[in-house]
Amino acid sequence: MSTVVLKAADGSGWKKKKLPKPCRNLVLYFHDILYNGKNAKNATSAMVAAPEGANLTTLTGNNHLGDLVVFDDPITLDNNLHSRPVGRAQGLYLYDVKSTFTAWLGFTFVLNSTDHKGTITFNGADPILTKYRDISVVGGTGDFLMARGIATISTDSYEGDVYFRLRVNMTL
């Protein structure tokens, strides 16, 4: 067994680094309207995969396990679906746990407004029944070049399986 001791290149030893302060905090809302076979004009998401034998216009029982949904949702500065969009949330969610209501999210905010231009990319588990959930900010472009941080999401509103609105509070 051998031990390796590392020292800083300048020979001064290790110093505890102070974490940088967040450079930006941003709160946005995205609105998801799931296609249900009757709302094609207004739908912003659609189920593209489901367990064998399931139909693609109704989420499966059993906590929706196996359902895969892609989305292209409007992003607003407030919680009003009819507010002027500042971008789009584009990505997918996959219901991935049989024993509880949870999903895995992978999506990008594509922002193109006078205040913000660029993208912010997120991924992580979403235990939907928990009021506040943290997911990772894993990258960005434009105004958000190489963004890293955390986003706290919360379900701001929902109407059955067809509509939900998420509040996304980002610390970058």
Side-chain angles (χ1 to χ4, degrees):
M1 183 166 163
S2 58
T3 303
V4 177
V5 176
L6 300 174
K7 261 190 126 155
D10 66 0
S12 64
W14 294 103
K15 294 180 184 176
K16 196 172 191 178
K17 280 189 174 182
K18 228 180 167 182
L19 293 174
K21 290 184 179 180
C23 61
R24 185 174 296 183
N25 186 273
L26 189 59
V27 176
L28 297 170
Y29 295 81
F30 76 91
H31 309 264
D32 187 85
I33 303 169
L34 182 63
Y35 175 68
N36 65 3
K38 302 173 190 163
N39 63 347
K41 184 177 179 183
N42 295 324
T44 61
S45 63
M47 191 178 343
V48 296
E52 186 176 349
N55 92 37
L56 295 179
T57 60
T58 305
L59 293 168
T60 60
N62 205 11
N63 296 312
H64 308 317
L65 177 67
D67 290 342
L68 173 65
V69 177
V70 296
F71 61 89
D72 182 17
D73 297 339
I75 301 170
T76 60
L77 296 173
D78 62 20
N79 63 4
N80 185 342
L81 171 62
H82 302 292
S83 293
R84 188 177 70 79
V86 295
R88 306 294 293 183
Q90 299 170 331
L92 60 91
Y93 50 96
L94 168 67
Y95 294 98
D96 61 343
V97 175
K98 184 177 182 178
S99 60
T100 189
F101 194 49
T102 188
W104 184 88
L105 303 172
F107 64 97
T108 299
F109 277 2
V110 180
L111 301 169
N112 190 14
S113 70
T114 54
D115 294 331
H116 306 291
K117 291 189 184 325
T119 64
I120 306 169
T121 302
F122 308 82
N123 72 27
D126 180 13
I128 298 164
L129 298 177
T130 304
K131 186 170 183 167
Y132 299 103
R133 295 95 67 187
D134 292 332
I135 59 172
S136 300
V137 174
V138 297
T141 64
D143 293 344
F144 307 97
L145 186 63
M146 296 178 64
R148 298 286 187 273
I150 194 161
T152 301
I153 59 175
S154 58
T155 304
D156 190 59
S157 177
Y158 68 92
E159 294 175 19
D161 288 336
V162 177
Y163 173 80
F164 68 82
R165 177 178 58 237
L166 290 183
R167 180 181 190 271
V168 182
N169 184 348
M170 295 165 276
T171 303
L172 307 173

